[in-house]
Amino acid sequence: MANYIIRRLLTMIPTLLVISLVVFILIQLPPGDIITSTLESMRQQGMEASDEQIEALKAQYNLDKSMPMQYLHWLFNFVQGDMGYSIKYQQPVNTLIWERMGYTVIIAIASLLFTWALSIPIGIYSAVRQYGWGDYFFTIVGLLGLATPNFLLALVLMYFGYTWFGVSVGGLFSPELAEAPWSWEKFVDLLAHLWIPMIVIGTAGTASIIRILRANLLDELSKPYVTTARAKGVRPIKLVFKYPVRVAISPFISTIGWLLPSLISADAIVSIVLNLPTTGPLMLQALLSQDMYLAGSFLMLLSILTVVGMLLSDILLAIVDPRIRYE
Amino acid sequence: MSEAAAIPAELAEASSARLTWLRFKRHRLALWAAGFLLVSYIVVGLCEFFAPYDPNWRNPRAIFAPPQEIHFFDHEGNFHLRPFVYGYELNINPETWVREYTEDPSRRYPLKFFSVGQEYEFWNLFNANLHLVTVEDGQYMHLFGTDALGRDIFSRVIYGGRVSMSLGLIGVVLTLFLGILFGGLAGYLGGWVDSLVQRAIEVIQSIPTLPLWMAMSAALPPHWSPIGIYFGLTVILSFIMWTGLAREVRGRFLAMRKEDFVVAARLLGASQMRIIFKHMLPSFTSHIITIATLAIPGMILAETALSFLGIGLRPPVVSWGVLLQQAQNYQVIVLTPWLLIPGLFVILVVIAFNLVGDGMRDAADPYGGRH
Amino acid sequence: MSNLPILSIRKLSVEFSSELGVNPVLHDISFDMMRSRTTAIVGESGSGKSVTANATMRLIRSPGKITGGEIVFSPTAGTSFDILKLQEGSDEIYDLRGGKIAMIFQEPMTALSPVHTIGNQVMEAILIHQKVSKTEAFQRACEMLQRVGITQAEMRMNQYPFEFSGGMRQRVVIAMALVCQPQILICDEPTTALDVTVQAEILSLINELKHAIDTTVMFITHDLGVVAQVADDVVVMHRGRILETGTVRQVLKSPLHPYTQGLLAAMPGRAEAGQRKARLQTVSDVYDENEFAACPLVAIGDNRQVALPIDAIPSELRP
């Protein structure tokens, strides 16, 4: 097992390196660079930069070096925890990013749990009662969930949250608590606001997971080992849970791998609609104002989050399915 | 329980394509969805004819006007064979200063079918002015209401459908090309090509899709023409979508190399080309078509999301995402809910594609399956 | 004792429905299984052998349906009950499955759950049917594994099926079936998926254990060679009907039904050296399927039946 984890950790490194290269290229893609935009803003304030100042700026941002060197510098700084400087906010990226990453992680995990809590029982039910009324009902609801753009669902839920509960549903905290230090009250307030993004983000994933689980289970239920177990006298509920669910859960756990990126994607857009203090809105602002160091850092961190999530799902998978450990 | 059911002779001799079609036909919902999509594509293909107005034409007498109802009976209760709409009567609410439109019974606008209306340039080819449905000059009809500039949402939904739905199709063709190319190369050549493609897929798949899309489409040069942005966006969407398909194709190629019928063909001396094109490809084209069908809704949703955020397609291009951009906050639902109508069409089309894809998946395996 | 059947199947009918219509797979079949004997059910695929076995275990599920008949089970001389009358989901059914009647399947590669240890799966059978502690169950499972010829049983208990060869897995399946000392053991083509040398080992293992724990065996196969090795009594099935029953000697030495004769003629290596034919016969060379279609079974002796019109039965055997 330890062997497996180490091997898996080692394969992560090249993946992350290539991702960092992709991100760096994306940062460089938009026309202009940090110097031109700095000069532009200086000019707007009626200042004119001297050649020395420009050279100094270039040296400060390593722009006087070749592209590969710039990449290495960026990567090296990133690994050390220095993610560069945001032009738009005139602050180091570090100070802008961490709290927002934290909320993104919280929302992603909450949505993941919500997705499972909803889709596992429904998936099992739909498979065991295939072609029953419940199966059809959940299929239809699932299709709707799959087809509704996240931001529309967010808008609709916001509306209902507003008319039915009278809460201001935007944001993660009530205005009076947003700046307050952490307390029990603030935590409860967070929970009261968390449910809308959780439902909205969880819905799309739920639909596809129900489908996957149902299909896997139907496959498993028709396999000989299930008949063997029935012939042994295992009762139906235990039969479903001990055997097929156990086997069907393996591909299910591997869904964390692709569920996480889609949850983070959904978080980005839903946060923009709901005005949540997560990575999404700030990244959008960064992109719209071509603040590429900030945007690139977000992209890189979100990718790292995903890769780590995939690693965790692989490890879980190896725990559940003995065959993988021995490969 | 392996007892084979007696299979009627006509089924036993049917070709694989025919069996697929027979099985697909049994999925009533999938059939309906396919019909719906066909009609939709015809409508958006000929949208100049089906839309009563140019999408950018403004009606100064109707700003944020709600949808008009189609009537057969007028306010006196008289029946009219020709359906009609009523003109708007504008009142400003004296307390809230909100515009409120009501029906004005004195202005009855009968609908005219297959009749002359606004002039348009059909597919940039020739000028015409025939419309499926329109009203007399000087009258107006807004079946889905109007937006902040008085533009007809009905017409804009149809024109927007042309962009959004065609983007899905073109994107999927590109995705298919990339997916089959790389997946096929990886599965067929194996070795270092396979490892390389696999790693590339892994890398792309471990970057969260939407942020990556956002970053890439933000990098599209802002001075590009709308058409350029449209194709740029299509390329960006396909650039990420091909990975799933390539995985599938690769897996199939690898699995199929060991299948008995492929081994048998090889032992009989069939050439590589013959094995690939005669034996391997036909046996999984149906799967590929299915996956492609299921990928189209993803494209449409992605376009919608990016345009909604303002980093996908931009006005003056009309797409469903661009239309939904006007619904940025929930006050819209209270004040002008008809601005969400494009969203309804997104949902309908996406569901239809999913149903067709599911039906095809079940039908693709003519002999197997327990359904 | 031996002339009292332990299992008596009477007019059992099963249907499978599909979108193409209802498809009857068993037509009114009747036969007896005698205590402590091995009854082989022989037939080609699709003849209804496995359905008969599954019906006995009440394992038939939708779209299959038992439409009539009875299966009377007499666990002891005095008691008997109809398996088909047991309430679905009742304790009696679960008691029966794996407890009084156990089953071995054709595919040892897939008959075991890939994600549970061997020990877990064998112990489960014990824990369901006997009130014993886990340690006790572990002990018994180990013993059983040793009895079916698995060495280092204690270590093997913690291994997964993918660490076992096909023959070894079938031994595990046998251990799992016999660990509760069932009164009837149903073997559904237990050797079909194994290679010939392993086949012989498994057959003798089943035979040996059958005597050791004194159980009755229903042995399903399409292989007449296997029948000759293991069976005491034989039931010949074709297209959901029984064509002939009798002792192994009666059926193999003096078959009455043309289909049985056809089956025997189609066996390689039966023709004597002098009269070796150029081509092996097929069943249809000898037997015209439509000739005696749907002919009812006629009892012509003690547990000897044949589905032929009276005038087609040799006169000395007519009832």
Side-chain angles (χ1 to χ4, degrees):
Chain A
M1 195 66 197
N3 253 338
Y4 176 81
I5 294 176
I6 291 169
R7 218 157 17 126
R8 198 55 196 67
L9 271 172
L10 286 180
T11 57
M12 249 174 74
I13 295 172
T15 309
L16 284 175
L17 276 179
V18 180
I19 291 178
S20 73
L21 192 62
V22 173
V23 169
F24 181 76
I25 292 170
L26 274 175
I27 294 179
Q28 302 298 330
L29 263 187
D33 54 37
I34 195 164
I35 303 292
T36 37
S37 44
T38 311
L39 292 179
E40 183 61 33
S41 60
M42 282 173 78
R43 200 166 296 130
Q44 275 166 7
Q45 290 160 19
M47 296 191 290
E48 209 56 53
S50 66
D51 284 354
E52 291 93 66
Q53 273 176 310
I54 294 176
E55 284 312 311
L57 268 174
K58 276 192 176 170
Q60 185 188 342
Y61 294 110
N62 296 315
L63 285 177
D64 49 352
K65 303 196 174 63
S66 66
M67 270 298 162
M69 283 312 288
Q70 284 188 40
Y71 166 68
L72 287 179
H73 263 278
W74 176 76
L75 184 67
F76 195 65
N77 287 336
F78 193 94
V79 171
Q80 290 189 323
D82 174 12
M83 289 184 272
Y85 195 78
S86 158
I87 309 151
K88 183 175 159 69
Y89 295 93
Q90 297 291 321
Q91 280 178 39
V93 171
N94 273 350
T95 57
L96 291 165
I97 222 165
W98 286 114
E99 195 184 351
R100 286 176 176 265
M101 279 302 292
Y103 287 126
T104 294
V105 171
I106 290 177
I107 290 180
I109 291 175
S111 318
L112 189 69
L113 294 179
F114 173 78
T115 305
W116 282 350
L118 206 63
S119 54
I120 294 181
I122 295 179
I124 293 173
Y125 173 86
S126 293
V128 176
R129 296 254 180 282
Q130 194 194 4
Y131 301 135
W133 282 109
D135 185 21
Y136 282 120
F137 174 77
F138 288 125
T139 307
I140 292 169
V141 172
L143 263 178
L144 269 176
L146 210 60
T148 311
N150 275 320
F151 58 88
L152 268 189
L153 191 63
L155 282 174
V156 171
L157 274 183
M158 262 172 111
Y159 170 70
F160 285 123
Y162 181 70
T163 51
W164 290 354
F165 304 106
V167 285
S168 70
V169 284
L172 275 182
F173 301 101
S174 307
E176 64 273 16
L177 287 172
E179 301 297 323
W182 277 101
S183 62
W184 177 247
E185 202 188 348
K186 186 171 179 179
F187 180 69
V188 173
D189 190 53
L190 174 66
L191 292 186
H193 283 81
L194 199 58
W195 66 272
I196 286 194
M198 190 178 82
I199 292 177
V200 175
I201 296 169
T203 310
T206 305
S208 43
I209 291 214
I210 290 175
R211 283 152 69 114
I212 292 173
L213 187 61
R214 178 176 177 273
N216 283 345
L217 257 183
L218 284 175
D219 267 2
E220 291 301 326
L221 281 172
S222 61
K223 286 201 174 152
Y225 73 84
V226 178
T227 316
T228 312
R230 284 181 73 213
K232 251 195 295 191
V234 181
R235 286 170 192 254
I237 294 194
K238 192 177 177 200
L239 185 74
V240 171
F241 279 91
K242 178 170 178 186
Y243 292 96
V245 168
R246 178 73 198 280
V247 178
I249 218 92
S250 306
F252 187 74
I253 288 173
S254 65
T255 58
I256 305 176
W258 60 258
L259 198 59
L260 210 65
S262 79
L263 288 178
I264 290 171
S265 289
D267 169 67
I269 190 160
V270 169
S271 296
I272 292 163
V273 177
L274 293 177
N275 192 24
L276 306 181
T278 65
T279 50
L282 197 61
M283 182 172 168
L284 180 67
Q285 285 313 312
L287 286 172
L288 288 176
S289 53
Q290 307 263 336
D291 191 352
M292 293 316 278
Y293 276 99
L294 184 55
S297 306
F298 272 129
L299 197 55
M300 194 64 216
L301 283 179
L302 292 178
S303 307
I304 292 175
L305 194 62
T306 317
V307 172
V308 171
M310 286 176 169
L311 173 75
L312 289 180
S313 95
D314 279 357
I315 292 175
L316 263 178
L317 200 59
I319 293 174
V320 171
D321 193 336
R323 282 169 296 184
I324 296 191
R325 289 197 291 266
Y326 292 85
E327 257 170 26
Chain B
M1 276 180 254
S2 57
E3 327 303 303
I7 296 168
E10 52 140 346
L11 277 188
E13 284 159 25
S15 72
S16 147
R18 193 173 149 65
L19 277 175
T20 308
W21 170 239
L22 282 177
R23 286 174 68 95
F24 183 75
K25 264 204 324 197
R26 283 215 327 268
H27 289 263
R28 277 291 158 79
L29 265 177
L31 211 56
W32 277 105
F36 170 78
L37 286 179
L38 192 69
V39 171
S40 304
Y41 271 104
I42 291 173
V43 169
V44 302
L46 308 175
C47 62
E48 290 91 345
F49 166 70
F50 283 98
Y53 296 111
D54 183 276
N56 292 316
W57 176 74
R58 300 172 180 193
N59 180 356
R61 286 177 291 172
I63 306 290
F64 277 138
Q68 288 167 327
E69 262 176 69
I70 295 179
H71 295 273
F72 282 96
F73 292 93
D74 64 24
H75 274 223
E76 276 102 49
N78 300 321
F79 174 76
H80 298 265
L81 190 58
R82 187 182 284 276
F84 59 90
V85 294
Y86 284 117
Y88 295 116
E89 188 180 327
L90 174 64
N91 309 298
I92 306 283
N93 187 320
E95 279 164 36
T96 57
W97 291 90
V98 173
R99 287 159 174 267
E100 284 173 0
Y101 288 95
T102 51
E103 288 182 338
D104 177 359
S106 64
R107 283 184 290 166
R108 209 168 57 77
Y109 301 155
L111 305 187
K112 300 189 303 174
F113 294 91
F114 295 100
S115 164
V116 172
Q118 260 187 7
E119 187 150 305
Y120 52 82
E121 203 180 348
F122 186 79
W123 284 27
N124 290 345
L125 292 178
F126 56 86
N127 288 341
N129 52 16
L130 189 69
H131 290 269
L132 175 69
V133 52
T134 182
V135 288
E136 278 296 331
D137 230 10
Q139 306 177 342
Y140 49 82
M141 68 163 209
H142 301 296
L143 298 179
F144 291 169
T146 62
D147 65 6
L149 299 173
R151 294 175 297 198
D152 180 42
I153 294 186
F154 184 78
S155 303
R156 287 172 73 77
V157 165
I158 293 179
Y159 274 91
R162 170 179 281 184
V163 172
S164 293
M165 289 177 74
S166 68
L167 188 134
L169 275 194
I170 298 176
V172 150
V173 171
L174 207 59
T175 304
L176 269 180
F177 175 74
L178 291 173
I180 294 176
L181 182 70
F182 287 114
L185 280 178
Y188 188 73
L189 294 179
W192 65 270
V193 180
D194 186 25
S195 318
L196 193 72
V197 172
Q198 285 241 77
R199 291 296 91 76
I201 292 175
E202 243 165 60
V203 166
I204 294 178
Q205 286 192 342
S206 46
I207 308 179
T209 326
L210 192 76
L212 180 57
W213 272 330
M214 283 163 67
M216 289 176 79
S217 59
L220 286 180
H223 54 80
W224 277 15
S225 70
I227 286 284
I229 299 271
Y230 173 90
F231 282 107
L233 195 65
T234 316
V235 171
I236 288 173
L237 295 185
S238 320
F239 174 74
I240 294 164
M241 289 260 186
W242 68 269
T243 53
L245 188 80
R247 272 209 161 151
E248 191 78 17
V249 172
R250 173 185 171 273
R252 295 248 158 214
F253 253 100
L254 284 180
M256 208 154 298
R257 280 204 307 209
K258 292 184 198 136
E259 287 274 350
D260 289 345
F261 72 93
V262 172
V263 175
R266 190 160 52 235
L267 293 180
L268 284 171
S271 71
Q272 288 286 17
M273 284 294 132
R274 187 180 163 81
I275 290 173
I276 292 178
F277 287 103
K278 203 80 186 158
H279 294 279
M280 290 166 90
L281 267 181
S283 61
F284 67 87
T285 36
S286 51
H287 283 272
I288 289 181
I289 296 172
T290 307
I291 296 168
T293 312
L294 290 172
I296 296 175
M299 293 267 176
I300 294 177
L301 284 176
E303 182 275 320
T304 315
L306 289 175
S307 304
F308 174 81
L309 293 179
I311 47 178
L313 301 173
R314 291 153 210 175
V317 174
V318 182
S319 79
W320 286 340
V322 171
L323 292 181
L324 284 171
Q325 220 188 328
Q326 298 185 331
Q328 284 276 10
N329 55 55
Y330 69 98
Q331 277 91 344
V332 168
I333 302 182
V334 188
L335 300 174
T336 51
W338 53 89
L339 289 182
L340 293 176
I341 288 177
L344 199 67
F345 283 88
V346 174
I347 296 175
L348 278 178
V349 166
V350 170
I351 287 185
F353 270 116
N354 274 311
L355 286 176
V356 172
D358 282 353
M360 279 174 26
R361 179 160 44 203
D362 284 353
D365 194 5
Y367 298 102
R370 37 172 189 275
H371 304 296
Chain C
M1 193 69 180
S2 73
N3 51 10
L4 197 105
I6 188 169
L7 194 76
S8 182
I9 297 181
R10 287 289 168 271
K11 294 209 167 290
L12 177 66
S13 295
V14 175
E15 289 175 356
F16 275 74
S17 44
S18 70
E19 58 247 14
L20 298 167
V22 176
N23 195 21
V25 293
L26 281 188
H27 306 263
D28 287 347
I29 66 155
S30 305
F31 69 94
D32 287 339
M33 273 173 60
M34 296 302 164
R35 193 175 297 275
S36 302
R37 287 170 74 87
T38 297
T39 304
I41 305 183
V42 203
E44 53 195 77
S45 45
S47 60
K49 323 176 289 261
S50 295
V51 177
T52 309
N54 285 328
T56 309
M57 296 282 275
R58 289 286 298 272
L59 284 175
I60 294 197
R61 300 220 297 177
S62 171
K65 199 176 159 228
I66 297 172
T67 50
E70 52 186 36
I71 301 179
V72 177
F73 176 45
S74 317
T76 55
T79 57
S80 66
F81 59 89
D82 182 358
I83 291 176
L84 298 186
K85 289 221 171 67
L86 295 179
Q87 196 69 38
E88 188 62 59
S90 64
D91 289 347
E92 286 86 358
I93 282 203
Y94 295 113
D95 196 34
L96 196 75
R97 285 185 196 150
K100 296 206 174 69
I101 307 182
M103 194 158 172
I104 301 172
F105 294 92
Q106 180 173 352
E107 280 285 342
M109 305 310 271
T110 51
L112 292 167
S113 160
V115 294
H116 294 92
T117 58
I118 298 300
N120 181 325
Q121 297 184 58
V122 178
M123 277 162 65
E124 184 176 45
I126 306 173
L127 291 170
I128 288 175
H129 297 287
Q130 293 169 2
K131 288 198 166 52
V132 295
S133 68
K134 278 209 161 174
T135 23
E136 173 77 23
F138 186 88
Q139 275 310 317
R140 287 197 201 175
C142 269
E143 279 163 29
M144 198 63 224
L145 285 181
Q146 277 159 3
R147 277 178 85 173
V148 297
I150 291 173
T151 50
Q152 292 178 287
E154 217 155 296
M155 186 267 283
R156 300 291 249 172
M157 288 276 283
N158 291 320
Q159 291 188 329
Y160 292 91
F162 66 88
E163 297 168 75
F164 283 64
S165 69
M168 279 300 172
R169 284 190 212 187
Q170 196 61 302
R171 285 171 193 268
V172 172
V173 174
I174 292 172
M176 208 163 75
L178 290 180
V179 75
C180 292
Q181 317 215 319
Q183 287 175 301
I184 299 180
L185 175 68
I186 302 177
C187 306
D188 187 356
E189 309 220 18
T191 55
T192 309
L194 304 172
D195 59 55
V196 185
T197 45
V198 182
Q199 252 186 40
E201 287 172 22
I202 294 288
L203 285 181
S204 59
L205 176 68
I206 291 175
N207 243 338
E208 189 190 310
L209 288 168
K210 178 202 148 192
H211 291 296
I213 65 174
D214 188 29
T215 181
T216 310
V217 175
M218 179 194 286
F219 198 102
I220 292 165
T221 183
H222 60 260
D223 187 341
L224 286 173
V226 171
V227 172
Q229 278 181 60
V230 300
D232 300 311
D233 300 310
V234 181
V235 173
V236 181
M237 290 189 71
H238 181 61
R239 292 208 160 184
R241 290 173 206 279
I242 291 181
L243 299 185
E244 184 163 6
T245 69
T247 63
V248 68
R249 198 178 169 75
Q250 288 166 333
V251 174
L252 294 191
K253 287 286 175 198
S254 44
L256 290 177
H257 199 282
Y259 174 72
T260 320
Q261 291 162 358
L263 274 185
L264 287 164
M267 269 183 79
R270 258 183 72 91
E272 280 154 40
Q275 35 173 232
R276 172 166 289 252
K277 290 195 179 85
R279 185 178 69 87
L280 197 60
Q281 282 188 314
T282 65
V283 175
S284 51
D285 289 342
V286 180
Y287 172 57
D288 173 13
E289 288 202 358
N290 299 317
E291 195 183 350
F292 299 114
C295 215
L297 269 180
V298 183
I300 51 171
D302 193 19
N303 209 15
R304 175 103 173 110
Q305 310 171 81
V306 67
L308 284 176
I310 286 287
D311 50 346
I313 300 173
S315 53
E316 71 276 13
L317 290 174
R318 281 178 200 161

